[in-house]
Amino acid sequence: MKQVHKPWGGRFTEATDAFVEAFTASIEFDKRLADYDIMGSIAHAKMLNRIGILNDREKDGIVQGLNVIRQKISDGDFVWSIGLEDVHMNIEAQLTRDIGEAGKKLHTGRSRNDQVATDIRLFLRDQIDEIRTWIAQLQTALIDLAEREADTIMPGFTHLQVAQPITFGHHMLAWNEMLSRDYERLGDCRKRVNVMPLGSAALAGTPYPLDRTYVSELLGFEQPSLNSLDAVSDRDFAIEFCAAASIIMMHLSRFSEELILWTSAQFGFIDLPDAFCTGSSIMPQKKNPDVPELIRGKSGRVYGHLFALLTLMKSQPLAYNKDNQEDKEPLFDTVDTLVNSLRAFAGMMPHVQPRREAMRESARKGYATATDLADYLVGKGLAFRDAHEVVGKAVQLGIAGSRDLSELGLQELQALSGIIEADVYQVLTLEGSVAARDLPGGTAPRRVREAARLAREKLNGGRK
Ligand code: ARG
C-alpha cells in the first residue's frame, strides 16, 4: 500500500503500520469539525498577515484556497485520507497541494493541540445556540398548553398516589420551570466554552508575536485563554456541557414517563398525536407512545457520555495527550441525541390532547380534597392534627360506601365533628380546592394564567 507523506514524517525512517494508522486516525469522526477548522485557519492566516509573517498574496491565497476546500467538502467532493490522520492534516495537506508554498506557512505558530481545542469550542458554541432554540420552542408549546388548560382539573400526585387537585396548566408550567433552568445552565456553560486557545501552540506558547486578541475577536470569542498548558488540555467545558445535557435528558425522561403513564388506559389523561405513535405488528388495538419511550431510553447514553468524558480526563497529566482524541464521539452523540429529543418533544407537545373529564374523575375518586376538609376544620378552630384525624375517619367512611367526600351527608360529617356546617361542601369541590391555592406559584387558575404570562415574557424578553 502506498503511504501518504505525513506532515510529521521528517523524523521517521519506517512507515506507520497500516493497522496503527487506522487505529490512531480520527478522520472518520472529526471531519465533522471541518467548517470550524477552516474558520479557525482563516482567522489565524489573517492574523499572521497582520503581524507580517504572511504577505498579502500568501494570505489571500490561503483564504481563497480554504474557501474552495470548504465548498468541496460541502459538495461531497473532498477525498479524506486515513493516512493524514485527522481533519486538521487533511485540510492543510490539500491546501498545500492546491496552492503550493503559501499553504506550508499556515501552521506557523500553531499546533494541532490548540487547533483542535479551538475547533471543538467553535462547534460546541454553535450547538449550544441551536439547543437553546429548541428548548425555547418546547417552552412555548408548554406555555401555550398551560394557558389553554389553566382551568383543567387533574389529580396531583405524591408517591404516585392521588394527593391534591391541581390544574393541568400548573403541571405544564412545572415542566417549563425545569427547562428554563436548563436554558440558563447552557448559557452559563457557553461562557466557559467561548474562550480562545490559539497561541498556546503545542503546550508552551510560541515565540512568534501572535496577536491573540485579534484572532479571538475574528472568531467571536470572549477572550484568549490565560494559560497555554491548560488551554490545550482542558476539556472541562465539554464535561460541563455533557452534565447540562444529562440534566436536560433527565428532565425529558421524566416528562416522557408521565406522558407514557397518562396515555395508558388506566390513567387515560391524554391522547398523543397519531403522528408520534406507532402500532403493534401483532396486537391490532395498540397505539404505543414510542417517541417518549425512546427519549426516556436515550437519557442513558447521554449519562454514559458524561462518564466517558470524566473518565477520559481523570488521570491525564498536563498537557495534551492523545487520549483527548476520544472526546469527540461522546460529545457529538450527546449533541445529536439532545437536539433530536428536544425536536421530537417540541413537535409533539402542541398536539397533545388532554382528556379533561377523565382527569377530573380521577381527582374526584382519589379523595383529593381531603386536605381541604382538614383546612376547613382548622379554619373553624380545630388544631391541625385533630383535624387530620377527623378527615381520616371521613375518608374511611367514603371508601366503605365508595363515595367521594362531597357525597357524604351533612349528618354523617357532623357525627365526626360537630363544628362542620353546610358551607363545608364549597371546599369539598375540586374547583374550590384549586381556587383556594391562590399564592404566587400556586395552582389556582388565576395564578396559572399569571405565571404563564410571566413565563412568556421571560421567554421573549431576550434571556441571557
Ligand atoms: N486528532 C487529534 C485530536 O483529536 C488532534 C490533535 C493531535 N495532536 C497531536 N499532537 N497528536 O485530539
Side-chain angles (χ1 to χ4, degrees):
M1 192 175 90
K2 190 178 148 289
Q3 288 255 330
V4 277
H5 174 71
K6 315 271 190 210
W8 42 254
R11 77 138 353 261
F12 287 75
T13 49
E14 273 182 52
T16 318
D17 178 272
F19 170 75
V20 171
E21 190 169 82
F23 184 69
T24 53
S26 52
I27 189 61
E28 276 312 316
F29 47 88
D30 69 13
K31 60 184 172 204
R32 181 165 177 178
L33 295 173
D35 254 354
Y36 301 103
D37 198 70
I38 289 171
M39 211 185 283
S41 288
I42 290 178
H44 184 66
K46 286 184 176 165
M47 182 275 295
L48 290 178
N49 170 244
R50 193 181 221 209
I51 63 171
I53 291 182
L54 294 177
N55 63 34
D56 290 349
R57 198 175 37 77
E58 290 166 329
K59 184 256 297 173
D60 292 340
I62 288 174
V63 173
Q64 273 167 26
L66 287 170
N67 282 328
V68 170
I69 290 176
R70 181 180 358 229
Q71 191 57 48
K72 258 200 199 152
I73 294 172
S74 86
D75 293 344
D77 292 338
F78 192 90
V79 183
W80 301 102
S81 148
I82 284 203
L84 288 166
E85 209 175 308
D86 57 25
V87 65
H88 324 293
M89 294 207 297
N90 265 271
I91 291 176
E92 193 192 322
Q94 185 62 45
L95 180 68
T96 302
R97 281 196 295 274
D98 290 350
I99 70 165
E101 280 305 297
K104 294 190 195 165
K105 294 191 178 177
L106 172 62
H107 212 50
T108 313
R110 189 175 72 169
S111 152
R112 279 183 295 152
N113 298 353
D114 56 354
Q115 193 176 354
V116 70
T118 305
D119 292 4
I120 305 173
R121 285 171 182 274
L122 287 170
F123 163 80
L124 196 51
R125 189 178 69 187
D126 264 6
Q127 299 302 315
I128 287 176
D129 292 344
E130 180 177 353
I131 291 165
R132 290 176 102 204
T133 312
W134 284 114
I135 293 179
Q137 194 156 323
L138 176 52
Q139 286 187 270
T140 304
L142 294 175
I143 296 169
D144 289 347
L145 255 179
E147 249 163 18
R148 215 180 327 130
E149 308 296 334
D151 295 290
T152 304
I153 305 267
M154 71 178 288
F157 296 86
T158 58
H159 313 269
L160 202 56
Q161 310 291 318
V162 171
Q164 293 176 341
I166 57 170
T167 54
F168 191 79
H170 197 50
H171 202 114
M172 292 301 105
L173 289 182
W175 290 0
N176 176 63
E177 282 305 304
M178 301 184 206
L179 290 171
S180 173
R181 290 193 293 275
D182 290 330
Y183 187 97
E184 285 169 18
R185 210 175 340 263
L186 282 177
D188 198 45
C189 168
R190 190 187 192 280
K191 291 183 209 150
R192 283 174 290 280
V193 170
N194 205 20
V195 173
M196 206 286 297
L198 289 174
S200 306
L203 77 162
T206 163
Y208 302 101
L210 305 186
D211 186 342
R212 302 189 65 213
T213 307
Y214 178 56
V215 176
S216 185
E217 277 165 16
L218 284 178
L219 294 173
F221 282 112
E222 194 58 38
Q223 59 166 53
S225 56
L226 299 177
N227 180 293
S228 63
L229 291 175
D230 179 53
V232 293
S233 75
D234 170 36
R235 295 294 181 273
D236 293 2
F237 65 92
I239 296 176
E240 201 178 330
F241 169 77
C242 286
S246 293
I247 297 178
I248 299 172
M249 288 305 293
M250 178 269 287
H251 287 155
L252 296 183
S253 181
R254 293 184 69 181
F255 304 170
S256 294
E257 173 70 9
E258 293 198 305
L259 293 178
I260 293 162
L261 286 172
W262 292 349
T263 52
S264 69
Q266 289 69 21
F267 276 80
F269 286 4
I270 56 163
D271 275 319
L272 286 181
D274 278 359
F276 287 78
C277 295
T278 59
S280 157
S281 54
I282 172 166
M283 296 165 284
Q285 85 283 13
K286 296 273 272 182
K287 176 174 159 186
N288 295 328
D290 288 39
V291 169
E293 286 177 288
L294 207 47
I295 291 171
R296 186 178 58 185
K298 280 179 188 294
S299 58
R301 65 203 278 165
V302 172
Y303 297 2
H305 297 325
L306 170 61
F307 274 80
L309 290 189
L310 282 168
T311 314
L312 172 69
M313 297 309 296
K314 77 175 269 290
S315 302
Q316 281 197 49
L318 287 171
Y320 177 86
N321 301 281
K322 181 78 168 180
D323 312 41
N324 276 1
Q325 185 163 289
E326 286 288 303
D327 60 358
K328 284 161 214 63
E329 288 162 292
L331 188 62
F332 293 166
D333 189 65
T334 299
V335 163
D336 294 340
T337 307
L338 192 54
V339 168
N340 290 336
S341 302
L342 283 165
R343 187 181 166 162
F345 237 101
M348 178 174 62
M349 286 316 291
H351 307 289
V352 165
Q353 289 298 335
R355 297 173 65 181
R356 303 189 180 104
E357 254 325 295
M359 288 196 273
R360 192 174 197 294
E361 197 44 27
S362 167
R364 202 183 64 78
K365 281 201 203 122
Y367 300 97
T369 55
T371 316
D372 297 272
L373 179 54
D375 292 335
Y376 167 86
L377 293 169
V378 169
K380 300 258 176 192
L382 203 61
F384 184 77
R385 280 288 155 232
D386 295 332
H388 192 286
E389 184 73 20
V390 169
V391 179
K393 294 269 177 334
V395 169
Q396 264 186 30
L397 209 60
I399 291 172
S402 343
R403 287 176 301 166
D404 161 36
L405 289 180
S406 66
E407 289 161 349
L408 299 179
L410 185 58
Q411 280 175 351
E412 284 174 290
L413 288 170
Q414 284 171 337
L416 297 173
S417 167
I419 58 176
I420 296 180
E421 294 171 73
D423 62 351
V424 72
Y425 290 103
Q426 279 151 35
V427 311
L428 294 182
T429 66
L430 297 166
E431 281 72 15
S433 170
V434 292
R437 285 169 168 73
D438 191 28
L439 295 176
T443 196
R446 165 178 111 77
R447 293 295 181 177
V448 171
R449 271 191 203 91
E450 180 184 81
R453 186 177 55 75
L454 292 174
R456 201 182 296 283
E457 262 174 37
K458 188 171 169 191
L459 196 64
N460 299 333
R463 297 181 289 184
K464 286 244 172 60

